[in-house]
Amino acid sequence: MLIVPIKEGENIDRALKRYKRKFDRTGRKRALQTRKQYTKPSVARRAQIQKAQYIQKLRDAEDV
């Protein structure tokens, strides 16, 4: 459970923003989204390889 202490005189919007940032950093939302739909290991591996190829292509273009 996430606890975000609210400081004296702090705006509720600011505290909510801190809560959302803390929630994103825990990775809980991403884990829920991945569990929502099953992906085969071969598909996940293929996506990981494609992502690596894309990043490598960007780095190669940067060096040129």
Side-chain angles (χ1 to χ4, degrees):
M1 181 160 140
L2 294 175
I3 297 173
V4 178
I6 299 177
K7 299 170 185 164
E8 189 68 31
E10 184 180 19
N11 190 357
I12 191 71
D13 292 330
R14 192 168 202 69
L16 184 61
K17 187 174 184 178
R18 282 192 3 242
Y19 172 78
K20 287 181 181 179
R21 192 176 323 128
K22 199 172 190 180
F23 184 75
D24 284 342
R25 287 184 184 155
T26 61
R28 183 73 79 163
K29 184 178 178 184
R30 186 173 298 131
L32 288 173
Q33 287 175 343
T34 56
R35 284 192 208 133
K36 190 174 181 180
Q37 186 176 8
Y38 178 76
T39 55
K40 291 175 25 179
S42 61
V43 173
R45 207 168 26 250
R46 188 178 319 129
Q48 185 180 13
I49 290 170
Q50 287 176 340
K51 182 178 177 183
Q53 288 173 342
Y54 174 73
I55 291 172
Q56 187 63 43
K57 188 174 88 172
L58 290 177
R59 288 185 180 157
D60 289 344
E62 186 179 279
D63 290 340
V64 171

